[in-house]
Coordinates of all heavy atoms in Angstrom, one line a residue:
M1 N -1.5 16.7 6.3 CA -2.1 15.4 6.3 C -0.9 14.4 6.3 O 0.1 14.6 5.7 CB -3.0 15.2 5.1 CG -3.5 13.8 5.0 SD -4.7 13.5 3.7 CE -6.0 14.6 4.1
K2 N -1.2 13.3 7.0 CA -0.2 12.3 7.1 C -0.6 11.1 6.3 O -1.8 10.9 6.1 CB 0.1 11.9 8.5 CG 0.6 13.0 9.4 CD 2.0 13.3 9.0 CE 2.6 14.4 9.9 NZ 4.0 14.7 9.6
F3 N 0.3 10.3 5.9 CA 0.0 9.0 5.1 C 0.8 7.9 5.8 O 1.8 8.0 6.4 CB 0.7 9.2 3.7 CG 0.0 10.4 2.9 CD1 0.3 11.7 3.2 CD2 -1.0 10.1 2.0 CE1 -0.3 12.7 2.5 CE2 -1.6 11.1 1.3 CZ -1.2 12.4 1.6
Y4 N 0.1 6.7 5.6 CA 0.6 5.5 6.2 C 0.7 4.4 5.2 O 0.1 4.5 4.1 CB -0.3 5.0 7.4 CG -1.7 4.6 6.9 CD1 -2.0 3.3 6.6 CD2 -2.7 5.6 6.9 CE1 -3.3 3.0 6.2 CE2 -4.0 5.3 6.5 CZ -4.3 3.9 6.2 OH -5.6 3.6 5.7
S5 N 1.5 3.3 5.4 CA 1.6 2.2 4.5 C 0.5 1.3 4.6 O -0.1 1.0 5.7 CB 2.9 1.5 4.8 OG 3.0 0.3 4.0
T6 N 0.1 0.7 3.4 CA -1.0 -0.2 3.4 C -0.6 -1.6 4.0 O -1.5 -2.5 4.3 CB -1.6 -0.5 2.0 OG1 -0.5 -0.8 1.1 CG2 -2.2 0.8 1.4
T7 N 0.7 -1.8 4.1 CA 1.2 -3.1 4.7 C 2.0 -2.8 5.9 O 3.2 -2.6 5.8 CB 2.0 -3.9 3.6 OG1 3.1 -3.1 3.2 CG2 1.1 -4.3 2.5
G8 N 1.5 -2.8 7.0 CA 2.3 -2.6 8.2 C 1.6 -1.7 9.2 O 0.4 -1.6 9.3
N9 N 2.4 -1.0 10.0 CA 2.0 -0.3 11.2 C 1.4 1.0 10.8 O 2.1 1.9 10.2 CB 3.2 -0.1 12.1 CG 2.9 0.6 13.3 OD1 1.8 1.1 13.6 ND2 3.9 0.7 14.2
K10 N 0.1 1.2 11.0 CA -0.6 2.5 10.6 C -0.1 3.6 11.5 O -0.5 4.8 11.2 CB -2.1 2.3 10.7 CG -2.6 1.4 9.6 CD -4.1 1.4 9.6 CE -4.6 0.6 8.5 NZ -6.1 0.6 8.4
S11 N 0.6 3.4 12.6 CA 1.0 4.5 13.4 C 2.2 5.1 12.9 O 2.7 6.2 13.3 CB 1.2 4.0 14.9 OG 2.3 3.1 15.0
N12 N 3.0 4.5 12.0 CA 4.2 5.0 11.3 C 3.8 5.9 10.1 O 3.6 5.3 9.0 CB 5.1 3.9 10.9 CG 6.4 4.4 10.5 OD1 6.8 5.6 10.7 ND2 7.2 3.6 9.8
K13 N 3.5 7.2 10.3 CA 3.0 8.0 9.3 C 4.1 9.0 8.8 O 5.0 9.4 9.5 CB 1.8 8.8 9.8 CG 0.7 7.9 10.3 CD -0.5 8.7 10.8 CE -1.5 7.7 11.3 NZ -2.6 8.4 12.1
V14 N 3.9 9.4 7.5 CA 4.8 10.3 6.9 C 4.1 11.5 6.3 O 2.8 11.4 6.1 CB 5.6 9.6 5.8 CG1 6.5 8.5 6.3 CG2 4.7 9.1 4.6
S15 N 4.8 12.5 6.0 CA 4.2 13.7 5.4 C 3.9 13.5 3.9 O 4.3 12.5 3.3 CB 5.1 14.9 5.5 OG 6.3 14.7 4.7
F16 N 3.1 14.4 3.3 CA 2.8 14.4 1.9 C 4.1 14.4 1.1 O 4.3 13.6 0.2 CB 1.9 15.6 1.5 CG 1.7 15.8 0.1 CD1 0.7 15.0 -0.6 CD2 2.4 16.7 -0.7 CE1 0.4 15.1 -1.9 CE2 2.1 16.8 -2.1 CZ 1.2 16.0 -2.7
R17 N 5.0 15.3 1.5 CA 6.3 15.4 0.8 C 7.0 14.0 0.8 O 7.5 13.6 -0.2 CB 7.2 16.4 1.5 CG 8.6 16.5 0.9 CD 9.5 17.4 1.7 NE 10.8 17.4 1.2 CZ 11.7 18.3 1.4 NH1 11.5 19.3 2.1 NH2 12.9 18.2 0.9
E18 N 7.1 13.4 2.0 CA 7.8 12.2 2.1 C 7.1 11.1 1.3 O 7.8 10.2 0.6 CB 7.9 11.7 3.6 CG 9.0 10.7 3.8 CD 9.3 10.5 5.2 OE1 9.0 11.4 6.0 OE2 9.9 9.4 5.5
A19 N 5.8 11.0 1.3 CA 5.1 10.0 0.5 C 5.3 10.2 -1.0 O 5.6 9.2 -1.7 CB 3.6 10.1 0.9
V20 N 5.3 11.4 -1.5 CA 5.5 11.7 -2.9 C 7.0 11.4 -3.3 O 7.2 10.7 -4.3 CB 5.2 13.2 -3.2 CG1 5.7 13.5 -4.6 CG2 3.7 13.4 -3.1
M21 N 7.9 11.8 -2.5 CA 9.3 11.5 -2.8 C 9.7 10.1 -2.8 O 10.5 9.6 -3.5 CB 10.2 12.4 -1.9 CG 10.1 13.8 -2.1 SD 10.2 14.4 -3.8 CE 11.9 14.2 -4.1
R22 N 9.1 9.3 -1.8 CA 9.4 7.9 -1.7 C 8.7 7.1 -2.8 O 9.3 6.1 -3.3 CB 9.0 7.4 -0.4 CG 9.9 7.6 0.8 CD 9.5 6.9 1.9 NE 10.2 7.2 3.2 CZ 9.9 6.7 4.3 NH1 8.9 5.8 4.5 NH2 10.6 7.1 5.4
G23 N 7.5 7.4 -3.0 CA 6.7 6.6 -4.0 C 6.0 5.4 -3.3 O 4.9 5.2 -3.3
L24 N 6.8 4.6 -2.7 CA 6.4 3.4 -2.0 C 6.9 3.5 -0.6 O 8.0 4.0 -0.3 CB 6.8 2.1 -2.6 CG 6.2 1.7 -4.0 CD1 6.9 0.5 -4.5 CD2 4.7 1.5 -3.8
A25 N 6.2 2.9 0.4 CA 6.7 2.8 1.8 C 7.9 1.9 1.8 O 8.1 1.0 1.0 CB 5.6 2.3 2.7
E26 N 8.7 2.0 2.9 CA 9.9 1.2 3.0 C 9.6 -0.3 3.0 O 10.3 -1.2 2.6 CB 10.6 1.6 4.3 CG 11.3 2.9 4.2 CD 12.0 3.3 5.5 OE1 11.8 2.5 6.5 OE2 12.6 4.4 5.6
N27 N 8.3 -0.7 3.5 CA 8.0 -2.1 3.5 C 7.3 -2.5 2.2 O 6.7 -3.6 2.1 CB 7.1 -2.4 4.7 CG 5.8 -1.6 4.7 OD1 5.4 -1.0 3.7 ND2 5.1 -1.6 5.8
G28 N 7.3 -1.7 1.2 CA 6.7 -2.0 -0.1 C 5.3 -1.7 -0.3 O 4.7 -1.9 -1.3
G29 N 4.7 -1.2 0.8 CA 3.2 -0.9 0.7 C 3.0 0.5 0.0 O 3.9 1.2 -0.2
L30 N 1.8 0.7 -0.3 CA 1.3 2.0 -0.9 C 1.0 2.9 0.2 O 0.6 2.5 1.3 CB 0.1 1.8 -1.8 CG 0.2 0.8 -2.9 CD1 -1.2 0.6 -3.6 CD2 1.2 1.2 -3.9
F31 N 1.2 4.2 -0.1 CA 0.9 5.2 0.9 C -0.6 5.6 0.8 O -1.1 5.8 -0.3 CB 1.7 6.5 0.8 CG 3.1 6.3 1.3 CD1 4.2 6.4 0.4 CD2 3.3 6.2 2.6 CE1 5.4 6.3 0.9 CE2 4.6 6.1 3.1 CZ 5.7 6.1 2.2
M32 N -1.3 5.6 1.9 CA -2.7 6.0 2.0 C -2.9 7.2 2.9 O -2.2 7.2 4.0 CB -3.6 4.8 2.5 CG -3.7 3.7 1.5 SD -4.6 4.1 0.1 CE -6.3 4.5 0.8
P33 N -3.7 8.1 2.6 CA -3.9 9.2 3.5 C -4.7 8.7 4.8 O -5.5 7.8 4.7 CB -4.8 10.2 2.7 CG -5.5 9.3 1.7 CD -4.6 8.2 1.4
E34 N -4.4 9.4 5.9 CA -5.1 9.0 7.1 C -6.6 9.3 7.1 O -7.3 8.7 7.8 CB -4.4 9.7 8.3 CG -4.4 11.2 8.3 CD -3.6 11.8 9.4 OE1 -3.1 11.1 10.3 OE2 -3.4 13.0 9.4
N35 N -7.0 10.2 6.2 CA -8.4 10.4 6.0 C -8.6 10.9 4.5 O -7.7 11.4 3.9 CB -9.0 11.4 7.0 CG -8.4 12.7 6.9 OD1 -8.4 13.4 5.9 ND2 -7.9 13.2 8.0
I36 N -9.8 10.7 4.0 CA -10.1 11.1 2.6 C -11.0 12.3 2.7 O -12.1 12.3 3.1 CB -10.9 10.0 1.9 CG1 -10.1 8.7 1.9 CG2 -11.2 10.4 0.4 CD1 -8.9 8.6 1.1
P37 N -10.4 13.5 2.3 CA -11.2 14.7 2.4 C -12.2 14.8 1.3 O -12.1 14.1 0.3 CB -10.2 15.8 2.2 CG -9.0 15.2 1.5 CD -9.1 13.7 1.9
S38 N -13.3 15.6 1.5 CA -14.3 15.7 0.5 C -14.3 17.1 -0.1 O -14.1 18.1 0.5 CB -15.7 15.4 1.2 OG -16.7 15.7 0.4
L39 N -14.6 17.1 -1.4 CA -14.8 18.4 -2.1 C -16.3 18.8 -2.0 O -16.5 20.0 -2.3 CB -14.4 18.2 -3.5 CG -12.9 18.1 -3.8 CD1 -12.6 17.6 -5.2 CD2 -12.2 19.4 -3.5
G40 N -17.2 18.0 -1.7 CA -18.6 18.4 -1.6 C -19.4 18.2 -2.9 O -18.8 18.2 -4.0
N41 N -20.6 18.1 -2.7 CA -21.6 17.9 -3.9 C -21.5 19.1 -4.8 O -21.6 18.9 -6.0 CB -23.0 17.7 -3.4 CG -23.1 16.3 -2.8 OD1 -22.3 15.4 -3.1 ND2 -24.1 16.2 -1.9
D42 N -21.5 20.3 -4.3 CA -21.4 21.5 -5.2 C -20.2 21.5 -6.2 O -20.4 21.8 -7.3 CB -21.4 22.8 -4.4 CG -22.7 23.1 -3.7 OD1 -23.7 22.6 -4.2 OD2 -22.7 23.9 -2.8
Y43 N -19.1 21.0 -5.6 CA -17.9 20.9 -6.5 C -18.2 20.0 -7.6 O -17.9 20.3 -8.8 CB -16.7 20.4 -5.7 CG -15.4 20.5 -6.4 CD1 -14.7 21.6 -6.5 CD2 -15.0 19.3 -7.1 CE1 -13.5 21.7 -7.3 CE2 -13.8 19.3 -7.9 CZ -13.1 20.5 -7.9 OH -11.9 20.5 -8.7
F44 N -18.7 18.8 -7.3 CA -18.9 17.8 -8.4 C -20.1 18.2 -9.3 O -20.0 17.9 -10.5 CB -19.2 16.5 -7.8 CG -17.9 15.9 -7.2 CD1 -17.7 15.9 -5.8 CD2 -16.9 15.3 -7.9 CE1 -16.6 15.4 -5.2 CE2 -15.7 14.8 -7.4 CZ -15.6 14.9 -6.0
N45 N -21.0 18.9 -8.8 CA -22.1 19.4 -9.7 C -21.6 20.4 -10.7 O -22.3 20.6 -11.7 CB -23.2 20.1 -8.9 CG -24.0 19.0 -8.1 OD1 -24.0 17.8 -8.4 ND2 -24.6 19.4 -7.0
N46 N -20.5 21.1 -10.4 CA -19.9 22.1 -11.4 C -18.6 21.6 -12.0 O -17.8 22.4 -12.5 CB -19.7 23.4 -10.6 CG -20.9 24.0 -10.1 OD1 -21.8 24.3 -10.9 ND2 -21.0 24.2 -8.8
L47 N -18.4 20.3 -11.9 CA -17.1 19.8 -12.4 C -16.9 20.1 -14.0 O -15.8 20.3 -14.3 CB -17.1 18.2 -12.2 CG -15.8 17.5 -12.2 CD1 -14.9 18.1 -11.1 CD2 -16.0 16.1 -12.0
D48 N -18.0 20.1 -14.7 CA -17.8 20.3 -16.2 C -17.3 21.7 -16.5 O -16.8 22.0 -17.6 CB -19.1 20.0 -16.9 CG -20.2 20.8 -16.5 OD1 -20.2 21.4 -15.4 OD2 -21.3 20.8 -17.2
S49 N -17.4 22.6 -15.5 CA -16.9 24.0 -15.8 C -15.4 24.2 -15.4 O -14.9 25.2 -15.5 CB -17.8 25.0 -15.0 OG -17.6 24.8 -13.6
K50 N -14.8 23.1 -14.9 CA -13.4 23.2 -14.4 C -12.5 22.5 -15.4 O -12.8 21.5 -16.0 CB -13.3 22.5 -13.1 CG -14.1 23.2 -12.0 CD -14.0 22.6 -10.6 CE -14.9 23.1 -9.6 NZ -14.8 24.6 -9.5
S51 N -11.3 23.1 -15.5 CA -10.3 22.4 -16.4 C -9.6 21.2 -15.7 O -9.7 21.1 -14.4 CB -9.2 23.4 -16.8 OG -8.4 23.8 -15.6
F52 N -9.0 20.4 -16.4 CA -8.2 19.3 -15.8 C -7.3 19.8 -14.8 O -7.1 19.3 -13.7 CB -7.5 18.5 -16.9 CG -6.6 17.3 -16.3 CD1 -7.2 16.2 -15.9 CD2 -5.3 17.6 -16.2 CE1 -6.4 15.2 -15.3 CE2 -4.5 16.6 -15.6 CZ -5.0 15.4 -15.2
Q53 N -6.5 20.9 -15.1 CA -5.5 21.4 -14.3 C -6.2 22.0 -12.9 O -5.5 21.8 -11.9 CB -4.8 22.6 -14.9 CG -3.8 22.1 -16.0 CD -4.6 21.9 -17.4 OE1 -5.7 22.0 -17.5 NE2 -3.8 21.4 -18.4
Q54 N -7.3 22.6 -13.0 CA -8.0 23.1 -11.9 C -8.5 21.9 -10.9 O -8.3 22.0 -9.7 CB -9.2 24.0 -12.2 CG -9.9 24.6 -11.0 CD -9.0 25.5 -10.2 OE1 -8.3 26.4 -10.8 NE2 -8.9 25.4 -8.9
I55 N -9.0 20.9 -11.5 CA -9.4 19.7 -10.7 C -8.2 19.1 -10.1 O -8.2 18.8 -8.9 CB -10.1 18.7 -11.7 CG1 -11.4 19.3 -12.1 CG2 -10.3 17.4 -10.9 CD1 -12.0 18.5 -13.3
A56 N -7.0 19.0 -10.8 CA -5.8 18.4 -10.2 C -5.3 19.3 -9.1 O -4.9 18.7 -8.1 CB -4.7 18.3 -11.3
F57 N -5.4 20.6 -9.3 CA -4.9 21.5 -8.2 C -5.8 21.3 -7.0 O -5.3 21.2 -5.8 CB -5.0 23.0 -8.7 CG -4.7 23.9 -7.6 CD1 -3.5 24.2 -7.2 CD2 -5.8 24.5 -6.9 CE1 -3.2 25.2 -6.2 CE2 -5.6 25.4 -5.9 CZ -4.3 25.7 -5.5
D58 N -7.1 21.3 -7.1 CA -8.1 21.2 -6.0 C -7.9 19.9 -5.2 O -7.9 20.0 -4.0 CB -9.5 21.3 -6.5 CG -9.8 22.7 -7.1 OD1 -9.1 23.7 -6.9 OD2 -10.8 22.8 -7.9
I59 N -7.7 18.9 -5.9 CA -7.6 17.6 -5.3 C -6.2 17.5 -4.6 O -6.1 17.1 -3.4 CB -7.8 16.4 -6.3 CG1 -9.2 16.4 -6.7 CG2 -7.3 15.1 -5.6 CD1 -9.6 15.5 -7.8
T60 N -5.1 17.9 -5.3 CA -3.8 17.8 -4.6 C -3.7 18.7 -3.4 O -3.1 18.3 -2.4 CB -2.7 18.2 -5.7 OG1 -2.9 17.3 -6.8 CG2 -1.3 18.1 -5.1
K61 N -4.3 19.8 -3.5 CA -4.3 20.8 -2.4 C -4.9 20.1 -1.1 O -4.4 20.3 0.0 CB -5.1 22.0 -2.7 CG -4.8 23.2 -1.8 CD -3.4 23.7 -2.0 CE -3.1 24.7 -1.0 NZ -1.7 24.8 -0.7
L62 N -5.9 19.4 -1.3 CA -6.6 18.7 -0.2 C -5.6 17.7 0.6 O -5.6 17.6 1.8 CB -7.8 17.8 -0.6 CG -9.0 18.6 -1.0 CD1 -10.1 17.6 -1.6 CD2 -9.6 19.4 0.1
F63 N -4.7 17.1 -0.2 CA -3.8 16.1 0.4 C -2.5 16.7 0.8 O -1.8 16.1 1.6 CB -3.6 14.9 -0.6 CG -4.8 14.1 -0.8 CD1 -5.7 14.3 -1.9 CD2 -5.1 13.1 0.1 CE1 -6.8 13.6 -2.0 CE2 -6.3 12.3 0.0 CZ -7.2 12.6 -1.1
S64 N -2.1 17.8 0.1 CA -0.8 18.4 0.5 C -0.9 19.3 1.7 O 0.2 19.6 2.3 CB -0.2 19.1 -0.7 OG -1.0 20.3 -1.0
T65 N -2.0 19.7 2.1 CA -2.2 20.5 3.2 C -1.2 21.6 3.5 O -0.5 21.6 4.5 CB -2.4 19.7 4.5 OG1 -1.3 18.8 4.7 CG2 -3.7 18.8 4.5
N66 N -1.1 22.4 2.5 CA -0.2 23.6 2.6 C 1.3 23.3 2.6 O 2.1 24.1 3.0 CB -0.6 24.5 3.8 CG -2.0 25.0 3.6 OD1 -2.4 25.4 2.5 ND2 -2.7 25.1 4.7
E67 N 1.7 22.1 2.2 CA 3.1 21.8 2.2 C 3.7 22.4 0.9 O 4.9 22.5 0.8 CB 3.4 20.3 2.2 CG 3.2 19.6 3.5 CD 3.7 18.2 3.5 OE1 4.9 17.9 3.1 OE2 2.9 17.3 3.9
I68 N 2.9 22.8 0.0 CA 3.3 23.4 -1.3 C 2.5 24.7 -1.4 O 1.3 24.7 -1.3 CB 3.1 22.5 -2.5 CG1 3.8 21.2 -2.4 CG2 3.6 23.2 -3.8 CD1 3.4 20.2 -3.5
E69 N 3.2 25.8 -1.7 CA 2.5 27.1 -1.9 C 1.6 26.9 -3.1 O 1.9 26.3 -4.1 CB 3.5 28.2 -2.1 CG 4.4 28.6 -0.9 CD 5.4 29.6 -1.4 OE1 5.2 30.4 -2.3 OE2 6.5 29.5 -0.7
N70 N 0.4 27.6 -3.1 CA -0.5 27.5 -4.2 C 0.1 27.9 -5.5 O -0.1 27.2 -6.5 CB -1.7 28.5 -3.9 CG -2.6 27.9 -2.9 OD1 -2.5 26.8 -2.4 ND2 -3.5 28.8 -2.5
S71 N 0.9 28.9 -5.6 CA 1.5 29.3 -6.9 C 2.4 28.3 -7.4 O 2.5 28.0 -8.6 CB 2.2 30.7 -6.7 OG 3.3 30.6 -5.8
K72 N 3.2 27.6 -6.5 CA 4.1 26.6 -7.0 C 3.4 25.3 -7.4 O 3.8 24.7 -8.3 CB 5.1 26.3 -5.9 CG 6.1 27.5 -5.7 CD 7.1 27.3 -4.6 CE 8.0 28.5 -4.5 NZ 9.1 28.2 -3.5
L73 N 2.3 25.0 -6.7 CA 1.5 23.9 -7.0 C 0.9 24.1 -8.4 O 0.9 23.2 -9.3 CB 0.5 23.5 -6.0 CG -0.4 22.3 -6.2 CD1 0.4 21.1 -6.4 CD2 -1.4 22.2 -5.1
K74 N 0.4 25.2 -8.7 CA -0.2 25.5 -10.0 C 0.8 25.4 -11.1 O 0.6 24.9 -12.2 CB -0.9 26.9 -10.0 CG -2.2 26.9 -9.2 CD -2.8 28.3 -9.2 CE -4.1 28.2 -8.4 NZ -4.8 29.4 -8.4
Y75 N 2.1 25.9 -10.8 CA 3.1 25.8 -11.7 C 3.4 24.4 -12.1 O 3.6 24.0 -13.2 CB 4.4 26.5 -11.3 CG 5.6 26.3 -12.1 CD1 5.8 27.0 -13.3 CD2 6.5 25.3 -11.8 CE1 6.8 26.8 -14.2 CE2 7.6 25.1 -12.6 CZ 7.8 25.8 -13.8 OH 8.8 25.6 -14.6
L76 N 3.5 23.5 -11.1 CA 3.8 22.1 -11.3 C 2.7 21.4 -12.1 O 3.0 20.6 -12.9 CB 4.0 21.4 -9.9 CG 5.2 21.7 -9.1 CD1 5.1 21.1 -7.8 CD2 6.5 21.3 -9.9
I77 N 1.5 21.8 -11.9 CA 0.3 21.2 -12.6 C 0.2 21.7 -14.0 O -0.2 20.9 -14.9 CB -1.0 21.4 -11.7 CG1 -0.8 20.5 -10.4 CG2 -2.2 21.0 -12.6 CD1 -1.9 20.7 -9.5
D78 N 0.5 23.0 -14.2 CA 0.3 23.6 -15.5 C 1.4 23.1 -16.4 O 2.5 23.7 -16.4 CB 0.2 25.1 -15.4 CG 0.0 25.8 -16.7 OD1 -0.4 25.1 -17.7 OD2 0.2 27.0 -16.8
D79 N 1.2 22.1 -17.2 CA 2.2 21.4 -17.9 C 2.6 22.2 -19.3 O 3.6 22.0 -19.8 CB 1.8 20.0 -18.2 CG 2.9 19.1 -18.7 OD1 4.0 19.2 -18.1 OD2 2.7 18.4 -19.7
K80 N 1.7 23.0 -19.7 CA 1.8 23.6 -21.1 C 3.0 24.5 -21.3 O 3.4 24.6 -22.4 CB 0.5 24.3 -21.5 CG 0.3 25.5 -20.8 CD -1.0 26.2 -21.2 CE -1.3 27.4 -20.3 NZ -2.6 27.6 -20.0
N81 N 3.6 25.0 -20.3 CA 4.7 25.9 -20.4 C 6.1 25.3 -20.1 O 7.0 26.0 -20.0 CB 4.5 27.2 -19.5 CG 3.3 28.0 -20.0 OD1 3.1 28.1 -21.2 ND2 2.5 28.5 -19.1
K82 N 6.1 24.0 -19.8 CA 7.3 23.3 -19.4 C 7.8 22.4 -20.5 O 7.0 21.7 -21.1 CB 7.1 22.6 -18.1 CG 6.9 23.5 -16.9 CD 6.9 22.7 -15.6 CE 5.7 22.1 -15.3 NZ 4.5 22.8 -15.2
T83 N 9.1 22.4 -20.7 CA 9.7 21.5 -21.6 C 10.1 20.2 -20.8 O 10.1 20.3 -19.6 CB 11.0 22.1 -22.3 OG1 12.0 22.3 -21.2 CG2 10.7 23.4 -23.0
D84 N 10.6 19.2 -21.5 CA 11.0 18.0 -20.8 C 12.2 18.3 -19.9 O 12.4 17.8 -18.8 CB 11.4 16.9 -21.8 CG 10.2 16.3 -22.4 OD1 9.1 16.3 -21.9 OD2 10.3 15.6 -23.5
D85 N 13.1 19.3 -20.4 CA 14.3 19.6 -19.5 C 13.8 20.4 -18.3 O 14.3 20.1 -17.2 CB 15.2 20.5 -20.3 CG 16.0 19.8 -21.4 OD1 16.1 18.5 -21.2 OD2 16.5 20.4 -22.3
D86 N 12.8 21.2 -18.4 CA 12.2 21.9 -17.2 C 11.7 20.8 -16.2 O 11.9 21.0 -15.0 CB 11.1 22.8 -17.6 CG 11.5 24.0 -18.4 OD1 12.7 24.4 -18.2 OD2 10.7 24.6 -19.1
K87 N 11.0 19.9 -16.7 CA 10.4 18.8 -15.8 C 11.5 18.1 -15.0 O 11.3 17.7 -13.9 CB 9.5 17.9 -16.6 CG 8.3 18.6 -17.2 CD 7.6 17.6 -18.1 CE 6.5 18.4 -18.9 NZ 5.9 17.5 -19.9
K88 N 12.6 17.8 -15.7 CA 13.7 17.1 -15.1 C 14.4 17.9 -14.0 O 14.9 17.3 -13.0 CB 14.8 16.7 -16.1 CG 14.3 15.6 -17.1 CD 15.3 15.3 -18.1 CE 14.7 14.3 -19.2 NZ 15.6 14.2 -20.3
K89 N 14.3 19.2 -14.0 CA 14.9 20.1 -13.1 C 14.1 20.3 -11.8 O 14.6 20.9 -10.8 CB 15.2 21.5 -13.7 CG 16.2 21.4 -14.8 CD 16.4 22.8 -15.4 CE 17.3 22.7 -16.7 NZ 17.3 24.0 -17.4
I90 N 12.8 19.9 -11.9 CA 12.0 20.1 -10.7 C 12.4 19.3 -9.5 O 12.5 18.1 -9.6 CB 10.5 19.9 -11.0 CG1 10.0 20.9 -12.1 CG2 9.6 19.9 -9.8 CD1 8.6 20.7 -12.6
K91 N 12.8 19.9 -8.5 CA 13.2 19.2 -7.2 C 12.3 19.7 -6.1 O 11.8 20.8 -6.1 CB 14.6 19.5 -6.9 CG 15.6 19.2 -8.0 CD 16.0 17.7 -8.0 CE 17.1 17.4 -9.0 NZ 16.8 16.5 -10.0
W92 N 12.1 18.9 -5.1 CA 11.3 19.2 -4.0 C 11.8 20.5 -3.3 O 11.1 21.4 -2.9 CB 11.1 18.1 -3.0 CG 10.1 18.5 -2.0 CD1 10.2 19.1 -0.8 CD2 8.7 18.2 -2.1 NE1 9.1 19.3 -0.2 CE2 8.1 18.7 -0.9 CE3 7.9 17.6 -3.0 CZ2 6.7 18.6 -0.7 CZ3 6.5 17.5 -2.8 CH2 5.9 18.0 -1.6
D93 N 13.1 20.6 -3.2 CA 13.7 21.8 -2.5 C 13.4 23.1 -3.2 O 13.5 24.1 -2.6 CB 15.2 21.6 -2.4 CG 15.6 20.4 -1.5 OD1 14.7 20.0 -0.6 OD2 16.7 19.9 -1.7
N94 N 13.1 23.0 -4.5 CA 12.7 24.2 -5.3 C 11.2 24.6 -5.1 O 10.8 25.6 -5.6 CB 13.0 24.0 -6.8 CG 14.5 23.8 -7.0 OD1 15.3 24.2 -6.3 ND2 14.7 23.1 -8.1
I95 N 10.5 23.7 -4.5 CA 9.0 24.0 -4.4 C 8.7 24.8 -3.1 O 9.1 24.6 -2.1 CB 8.3 22.6 -4.4 CG1 8.5 21.9 -5.6 CG2 6.8 22.8 -4.2 CD1 8.0 20.6 -5.7

């Protein structure tokens, strides 16, 4: 999936990786996805049976479109096994 800046040319799109690493577009705008995917009614009807981490994984997966392997994405989201030092060492190149 590609992302564009809220202030400027919508044809200048970047990848999920670039949007996450930049934080803000070069022109100061926020990154918006080119489309908003849906999880569907069944997903939301069963939301109470999912952990916060599972919901975060499911939503991030929709926007990252396979730029991050599932196992690595789960590791990044699962915060309980990481120390502050571990979090500082996470680099996109390691993902």
Side-chain angles (χ1 to χ4, degrees):
M1 177 177 296
K2 298 292 184 178
F3 296 79
Y4 63 89
S5 173
T6 55
T7 57
N9 185 352
K10 288 186 178 182
S11 65
N12 187 17
K13 297 177 184 173
V14 300
S15 67
F16 176 79
R17 174 186 178 164
E18 196 167 345
V20 168
M21 296 306 289
R22 281 190 189 176
L24 291 173
E26 289 177 357
N27 62 11
L30 302 173
F31 284 112
M32 288 293 295
E34 58 188 353
N35 61 58
I36 306 289
S38 174
L39 289 166
N41 289 337
D42 288 340
Y43 186 86
F44 290 101
N45 289 337
N46 296 304
L47 202 58
D48 60 346
S49 67
K50 298 180 185 310
S51 68
F52 174 81
Q53 289 83 0
Q54 184 62 50
I55 295 167
F57 173 82
D58 295 340
I59 292 170
T60 304
K61 195 69 189 157
L62 290 173
F63 292 96
S64 68
T65 57
N66 299 321
E67 285 190 54
I68 305 173
E69 294 174 28
N70 287 349
S71 61
K72 292 181 178 183
L73 180 57
K74 285 181 182 182
Y75 172 79
L76 291 173
I77 290 172
D78 184 15
D79 195 47
K80 68 182 177 217
N81 296 320
K82 290 190 279 306
T83 66
D84 286 340
D85 287 338
D86 291 335
K87 293 173 194 172
K88 290 175 186 175
K89 293 176 188 174
I90 295 174
K91 304 278 189 238
W92 190 271
D93 294 338
N94 299 335
I95 299 175

